[in-house]
Amino acid sequence: MALRRAASQLPALVARAANPAIRNAAANPVATSAFRAPSMGMIAQQSRPYAHVIINQHRDTEYNNEKLPWDFTPANMKKAEAVLAKYPDNYKQSAMIPLLDLAQQQNDGWLPVSAMNRIATMLGVANMRVYEVATFYSMFNRNPVGKYHVMICGTTPCMVRGAQKIEKALEEHLGIKKWGTTDDGMFTLGEMECMGSCVNAPMFVVADYTGGSDKYTYNYYEDLTPDSAKKVIDQLKKGETPKVGSQIRSKAEPASGQTTLTEPPLALIAGTLPTREDHSSEGDGNHNKYWEGHEAKLFSLRSALRSPFQKQLSGLDKA
């Protein structure tokens, strides 16, 4: 999952890197050194736009510097070792993104420099190799974020379908601006580029760090309106579990409704589905009982469906 998320963010990062305003802001040492001890409300007020997405210059703080010890917990170290075991010794650096993702889950949603250094040691690479990856992908946060990191899709289909209204509604509901964090440290409001739910636009994703890496979730909420978006936030605030996916339907489909797969499958109508002989199992009495009931149901269904499609089937036979 971590690799897929990273790959999906490449177009957005290229576009942001080409924006002079963002490049100039990223080079501002005052903006990147404004953080003090992680009072989340203070971080929210002092952070600049895109603070959790692009910070090209690290500045030591009392809560983020190389002198602070960091390591995986015993449980997460086992997970890290399992990830490393997937790769030959000379390709251990291929585990970099999964390990960074695991570290971020353990560390309440962000990556301190000492965590990146620890991963570099585990992979046998220079620290800079890890910094290059952590600063490239916007999925990695190098400043503290809220326990719920809410990222609204900002790509064209979601914008056309009302993403800006969702953003405005959540800003007013949470009392923060985009890229800010609520005073209680519960919510950070951000933006993410296309997450592949265009047909159910607008949408946002929520990275939930409340349960650490063991209970970490990354859930999509789709077909949103300002009211349903606020409802999802309120449910999270109460510790409830909002409906994941579309808030108004059960699948991804055009606004006008389903346009494909609107007829029963021809294999079912024509009687070419697998039979008992295709799935025989010697000496399995339960298997035979299953197929007796299964075949009876198929026969009834075929009889009910066959007549309206008889002409269609005849055409297939002639072909």
Side-chain angles (χ1 to χ4, degrees):
M1 182 177 72
L3 291 171
R4 288 198 300 271
R5 285 170 54 200
S8 71
Q9 295 162 12
L10 285 172
L13 289 163
V14 172
R16 286 173 177 162
N19 188 325
I22 297 176
R23 288 203 307 269
N24 293 339
N28 183 355
V30 175
T32 55
S33 62
F35 292 87
R36 293 194 284 113
S39 162
M40 295 305 300
M42 184 178 299
I43 289 172
Q45 296 300 319
Q46 295 182 349
S47 62
R48 58 174 177 75
Y50 298 94
H52 76 285
V53 176
I54 298 175
I55 305 176
N56 291 327
Q57 296 181 352
H58 169 78
R59 292 289 182 269
D60 280 353
T61 64
E62 60 187 47
Y63 66 91
N64 186 11
N65 61 76
E66 293 183 313
K67 296 180 180 179
L68 295 176
W70 192 96
D71 206 345
F72 286 109
T73 63
N76 282 339
M77 181 59 77
K78 291 182 180 179
K79 296 179 182 179
E81 291 171 349
V83 171
L84 286 169
K86 298 178 181 179
Y87 304 98
D89 289 341
N90 56 329
Y91 285 102
K92 286 197 299 183
Q93 63 186 26
S94 297
M96 191 177 298
I97 289 178
L99 291 183
L100 284 170
D101 193 42
L102 179 61
Q104 180 164 279
Q105 294 171 28
Q106 175 180 309
N107 204 62
D108 298 326
W110 70 288
L111 287 171
V113 66
S114 53
M116 292 184 262
N117 292 348
R118 177 69 179 99
I119 290 172
T121 300
M122 293 174 66
L123 298 178
V125 299
N127 292 346
M128 181 55 67
R129 295 304 181 193
V130 180
Y131 303 160
E132 290 169 348
V133 172
T135 57
F136 185 83
Y137 293 107
S138 60
M139 64 182 277
F140 296 125
N141 308 310
R142 293 190 293 120
N143 280 323
V145 297
K147 294 180 179 179
Y148 296 104
H149 191 182
V150 182
M151 293 162 278
I152 303 170
C153 179
T155 313
T156 305
C158 280
M159 285 293 185
V160 171
R161 295 285 294 168
Q164 290 174 314
K165 294 179 181 179
I166 304 299
E167 179 182 311
K168 181 179 180 182
L170 293 188
E171 285 182 337
E172 294 175 353
H173 192 58
L174 293 171
I176 56 176
K177 293 295 184 181
K178 185 167 67 172
W179 315 115
T181 300
T182 55
D183 289 339
D184 60 4
M186 287 295 292
F187 293 93
T188 292
L189 184 61
E191 179 180 324
M192 187 62 71
E193 297 311 311
C194 186
M195 289 178 276
S197 295
C198 307
V199 75
N200 285 3
M203 60 85 68
F204 61 58
V205 66
V206 178
D208 181 352
Y209 298 104
T210 57
S213 60
D214 289 336
K215 297 182 179 180
Y216 170 74
T217 59
Y218 190 84
N219 288 325
Y220 285 20
Y221 301 92
E222 306 158 355
D223 282 322
L224 295 169
T225 64
D227 287 340
S228 63
K230 290 187 287 186
K231 180 181 177 181
V232 170
I233 297 300
D234 288 341
Q235 288 178 297
L236 292 172
K237 189 180 296 185
K238 295 176 184 177
E240 299 174 356
T241 303
K243 177 186 177 185
V244 175
S246 172
Q247 300 303 293
I248 60 173
R249 47 189 169 172
S250 61
K251 55 184 177 294
E253 62 184 12
S256 58
Q258 188 169 334
T259 60
T260 60
L261 303 177
T262 57
E263 299 176 351
L266 291 178
L268 175 62
I269 302 166
T272 58
L273 288 177
T275 65
R276 186 187 325 200
E277 289 71 25
D278 297 325
H279 295 82
S280 61
S281 177
E282 295 182 6
D284 190 346
N286 292 330
H287 176 86
N288 290 330
K289 290 180 182 179
Y290 164 78
W291 274 103
E292 288 173 2
H294 185 66
E295 288 171 340
K297 292 177 182 178
L298 283 179
F299 180 81
S300 298
L301 186 57
R302 285 171 189 154
S303 298
L305 294 174
R306 190 179 180 93
S307 180
F309 294 96
Q310 191 65 50
K311 293 181 180 180
Q312 185 177 2
L313 291 169
S314 298
L316 288 175
D317 291 339
K318 292 177 181 178

